[in-house]
Amino acid sequence: MRVVVVGAGLAGLVAATRLATAGVRTTVLEARDRVGGRTRGIEVAPDRWVDAGAAYLGHRHAELNALITDLGLKTTPTGMVGRSRFALDPGPPRTAPDRFPPLNAVALGEMFDALDEVTRTVRADAPWLTPDAARLDRLTAADWLDRTVDHADARRFFPLFLGEMMAADPADVSALHMAFYLSSGGGIRYLNAFEGGAQQDRVDGGAHQLCQLLARALGDRVRLSRPVRAIHQDGGDVVVHTTGDAWRCDAAVVAVPPALADAIDHRPALPVRRTGPRTAPGGAVKVHLVYPEPIWRAEGLSGWSVDAGGPMMSTVDDSPAAGGAGVLTGFVTGARARRFAGLGHPEQHATVTAQAARLFPELPAPRQIHVTDWIHETYSRGCYAALFGPGDWVERGPHLREPHQRVHWAGTETSPEFFGLMEGAIRSGDRAATEVLTHY
Amino acid sequence: MTEDRLIHEVSEIFGRVLDEDDITAESDFFALGGDSLLATRIISAVARRYGVELTFEEFLLAPTPAMVAKRIESLGP
């Protein structure tokens, strides 16, 4: 049997590894000149790497933890010790203990209670079968907020929370997708937490190593710089077309984000497209501010900040465990990410430098600034993951994992568990490999 | 309401929010893995049940069922 895997991100490489191990003749076609998809490393000091893309994991990410061990890698805890800075209203930023925002706690609690309730009602394995699916899929998360939460403090905090959780603006996603995403990731408590939650650890030395090591073991089965243009099926025959080449196979695994899967010329055509007019790219631009060392720790600060003014909505201390640099990762998400992505580099750097100086006046100017715009990455089209808008789950959801004849689907957006995360990508690759190995 | 009864009820709120069974009067919210998100949910539950609106600062200084009960008694309507 011969199988072509489209996409050398985590999902594609996990699928390819399982297929190759089972003796299947496997080829991975990758559009970029690198592997890794939405994981990528940036070297901020000699042999000191930070994650330009996916970065965090927790204990429940069992497949990812197992893969890290199998590949001989280690995890390192994401430090979150000390006081935080909040700039949620005009005036100088305020210092607060841990991650307690200077807002009305009762109002925030009511908002989280409501979010938890809607999250618990959703069927993560099949969101379109959720009891209230039709209504929740018509509303945007912004509509849901309007109808559910009154207090100004909660309304102010909600977009920041959603931006941090799923790189979405409340107007981007349906309430059903919001509830699904939060449920799929383990619930609001798990997804929000660092210690004991989904941000507890990072891959020591960078998450990009996962795909690099998987690709190394696959050797010349992985072909770079080969964007797939078309997949034509005729009876039992599948032909995957790149520019100039054609790869004949018995089955294909398409392990790219939904918008890119739609951009492939499928014949026969897909009965239901994987994205629609309301589907948005995950709105994340990641900023790395690099300092000689994590200077903020000496000031009793965790490096965590939340800023309603932006462009960075929050900052996290992602300094390499081995030392050599202090790194604050800034998350620019949602509507403000789209505006920020439209600026030139000098303006981006000036804006985030000014913001860092306002949030952390005790720090010098960063010695390096890295800006990673995932929204306009041709071969990702967004990060953390596709944002399903109103109507998407009810119309397209039932088809997301359904093979199109001999084309099987992988990618974190096809995983009911840990959708949008590395763990979801791995599980999807595993499932797609199982489908291929059992069907043919 | 007796003090014991109040502490018992607040312990139940802690247990529900933290998803823990063995909450005592002296159980420390933070030692049990509590964080800012869960703190808001205890504070909102206390507000609904007793009409007492604790701030984050007050909760940080009183992170056990016994101490929250004491705040409720002193601030209660």
Side-chain angles (χ1 to χ4, degrees), chain A residues 145-310:
Chain A
L145 183 74
D146 272 346
R147 286 157 202 219
T148 315
V149 175
D150 286 328
H151 199 289
D153 279 14
R155 286 166 169 265
R156 197 180 317 165
F157 197 71
F158 178 77
L160 300 168
F161 180 77
L162 208 63
E164 186 197 334
M165 291 296 105
M166 49 195 300
D169 199 63
D172 286 340
V173 292
S174 68
L176 185 60
H177 185 57
M178 171 188 77
F180 159 77
Y181 190 97
L182 297 173
S183 168
S184 166
I188 58 172
R189 174 188 183 180
Y190 190 76
L191 260 184
N192 181 60
F194 280 79
E195 193 181 342
Q199 282 75 234
Q200 173 162 297
D201 296 314
R202 292 169 290 155
V203 180
D204 194 14
H208 63 288
Q209 298 171 98
L210 296 165
C211 286
Q212 287 183 349
L213 291 169
L214 287 169
R216 188 180 300 167
L218 286 164
D220 63 7
R221 295 182 187 91
V222 180
R223 309 297 181 93
L224 300 177
S225 304
R226 284 183 170 78
V228 167
R229 308 293 182 198
I231 301 177
H232 295 169
Q233 306 186 62
D234 188 6
D237 209 23
V238 184
V239 184
V240 179
H241 295 271
T242 59
T243 311
D245 284 320
W247 308 76
R248 197 168 292 277
C249 53
D250 300 294
V253 174
V254 174
V256 298
L260 295 171
D262 270 346
I264 296 170
D265 173 38
H266 294 273
R267 292 188 206 168
L270 300 180
V272 178
R273 293 179 67 77
R274 304 175 72 69
T275 58
R278 300 296 297 269
T279 320
V285 177
K286 224 168 164 181
V287 177
H288 291 96
L289 307 171
V290 184
Y291 300 88
E293 55 185 303
I295 312 160
W296 48 91
R297 292 181 193 168
E299 310 276 341
L301 295 168
S302 63
W304 175 256
S305 69
V306 179
D307 189 339

Side-chain angles (χ1 to χ4, degrees), chain A residues 111-170:
Chain A
M111 180 194 83
F112 286 127
D113 287 344
L115 262 180
D116 188 49
E117 197 184 317
V118 69
T119 298
R120 285 176 193 279
T121 64
V122 80
R123 270 194 56 181
D125 63 326
W128 56 94
L129 298 179
T130 297
D132 208 9
R135 189 182 71 88
L136 289 172
D137 205 32
R138 270 197 303 276
L139 300 176
T140 64
D143 298 332
W144 176 87
L145 183 74
D146 272 346
R147 286 157 202 219
T148 315
V149 175
D150 286 328
H151 199 289
D153 279 14
R155 286 166 169 265
R156 197 180 317 165
F157 197 71
F158 178 77
L160 300 168
F161 180 77
L162 208 63
E164 186 197 334
M165 291 296 105
M166 49 195 300
D169 199 63

